[in-house]
Amino acid sequence: MKKRISLFDIVNVLLMGIVVCSMLFPFIHMAAVSISSSEHVIKNEITLWPKGINFNAYTSILKDNRILVGYKNTLIYVVLGTTLSLLFTTMGAYALSRRNLVFGKTFMLIIVFTMLFSGGMIPTYLVIRSYGLLDTIWAMVLPGLVSSYNLIIMRTFFQGIPRELEESGKMDGLSNFGILLRIVLPLTKPVMMTISLFYAVGIWGNFFSALIYLRNESLFPLQVMVRNIVLIGQVGETTVSDAFGKKEIVLESLKYAVILVSTLPILMVYPFIQKHFVKGVMIGSVKG
């Protein structure tokens, strides 16, 4: 039977097309400008298609030591932060998903309370300082170690696992930790991938914490380096005006190239996790 195309389908496709184009346009425009020649960029002739293609801006960026340092720091923060966050979130969510947990409801109320009210920036800064975390990599990892939102999603996911599986594990002599490792975690791949993506993206784009807690430039993440380049306009004395191979590079091309270089890695991760993304979030948020 042939399916009829309704007016809703047409409107839906048109609206989605507009949304997709509006989201892709900035990236395409930035990519086109970043690989276009200086004379066309200065004349503002670039929209979606590059003119006078060259990669001088990217060559300059990859030779700038601050970008490489920022990349290294960001990768350390993302790997370390995501690993620890996933570990503590999993253990906390599994404990809270047990019906026999003492004061389990009280703990959940406290966690939900933190979603509505926070201590504020200054008290948080004083706490970080009192523990001696300023100007350390832990200042970028520990303050946001466990997200209440992610904890609740994972807890709800754990609650949906049949009790019979865990009871069979207990009959085989497994402890609670053994049940978590051998039975529960192998069944939670979608939500684990989704929560990992949430944490990784959050840490990758986190520059505000670095601005507050870090003073040593060697610890700055990539986003702070990008912010300095975009706002202050410094990529290195040789790249702004006259440069590699006596070729001029327009500052606008440099800025766009820096933004793309800092954004593409995390965007490239998304397609590999996307198939788990919707399933992980929906299953983990059904019960609330």
Side-chain angles (χ1 to χ4, degrees):
M1 183 177 177
K2 194 179 252 185
K3 185 180 178 182
R4 294 184 57 186
I5 299 175
S6 64
L7 179 61
F8 173 78
D9 295 330
I10 298 174
V11 174
N12 195 20
V13 169
L14 287 175
L15 289 177
M16 289 303 297
I18 293 173
V19 171
V20 170
C21 290
S22 64
M23 295 179 72
L24 288 179
F25 176 76
F27 287 96
I28 298 174
H29 176 68
M30 286 192 295
V33 172
S34 65
I35 60 175
S36 297
S37 62
S38 302
E39 55 268 25
H40 294 292
V41 176
I42 292 173
K43 293 177 183 176
N44 199 21
E45 297 176 345
I46 310 301
T47 51
L48 296 176
W49 193 254
K51 296 180 179 178
I53 296 176
N54 66 74
F55 296 93
N56 296 334
Y58 291 94
T59 305
S60 305
I61 290 169
L62 294 179
K63 288 182 178 179
D64 193 291
N65 188 52
R66 288 175 298 175
I67 297 295
L68 300 179
V69 171
Y71 252 117
K72 182 197 71 174
N73 292 334
T74 299
L75 288 176
I76 292 174
Y77 300 149
V78 169
V79 173
L80 181 63
T82 303
T83 303
L84 292 178
S85 295
L86 200 59
L87 176 65
F88 282 91
T89 302
T90 301
M91 292 193 297
Y94 181 69
L96 291 170
S97 69
R98 302 303 88 189
R99 293 178 182 174
N100 57 353
L101 178 67
V102 180
F103 300 123
K105 291 184 178 179
T106 304
F107 289 139
M108 278 307 303
L109 286 176
I110 294 173
I111 292 170
V112 172
F113 182 82
T114 63
M115 299 175 69
L116 303 176
F117 304 97
S118 65
M121 185 175 65
I122 295 177
T124 305
Y125 175 83
L126 294 177
V127 171
I128 298 298
R129 189 182 67 174
S130 65
Y131 281 102
L133 299 178
L134 293 180
D135 257 346
T136 66
I137 62 173
W138 300 109
M140 295 294 294
V141 174
L142 295 182
L145 188 65
V146 177
S147 162
S148 301
Y149 175 76
N150 295 339
L151 183 71
I152 291 174
I153 289 179
M154 192 171 284
R155 165 184 168 269
T156 308
F157 191 95
F158 286 150
Q159 288 178 331
I161 296 176
R163 299 291 172 187
E164 292 77 8
L165 290 175
E166 300 179 26
E167 291 174 359
S168 65
K170 288 182 179 178
M171 292 177 66
D172 290 337
L174 291 177
S175 62
N176 288 329
F177 194 68
I179 293 172
L180 174 64
L181 287 180
R182 298 188 180 187
I183 297 178
V184 176
L185 289 185
L187 299 174
T188 59
K189 186 177 177 182
V191 75
M192 296 290 281
M193 299 293 286
T194 303
I195 299 300
S196 299
L197 181 64
F198 284 165
Y199 279 124
V201 171
I203 298 172
W204 185 277
N206 181 17
F207 76 95
F208 190 67
S209 297
L211 289 178
I212 298 175
Y213 304 134
L214 299 181
R215 295 292 179 272
N216 187 350
E217 191 172 343
S218 64
L219 294 175
F220 283 172
L222 181 62
Q223 300 304 326
V224 175
M225 300 294 187
V226 172
R227 170 191 171 275
N228 293 339
I229 291 169
V230 172
L231 294 184
I232 302 175
Q234 50 177 335
V235 177
E237 294 180 356
T238 56
T239 58
V240 175
S241 56
D242 199 21
F244 298 92
K246 297 182 178 179
K247 295 178 180 177
E248 289 187 354
I249 302 173
V250 181
L251 186 59
E252 189 177 6
S253 299
L254 285 169
K255 290 178 179 178
Y256 288 165
V258 168
I259 293 172
L260 288 175
V261 166
S262 65
T263 307
L264 283 179
I266 197 68
L267 291 179
M268 292 171 65
V269 174
Y270 183 78
F272 298 98
I273 305 178
Q274 192 270 341
K275 62 180 180 181
H276 304 289
F277 192 75
V278 176
K279 186 178 178 182
V281 174
M282 292 303 294
I283 293 177
S285 58
V286 169
K287 293 183 179 179

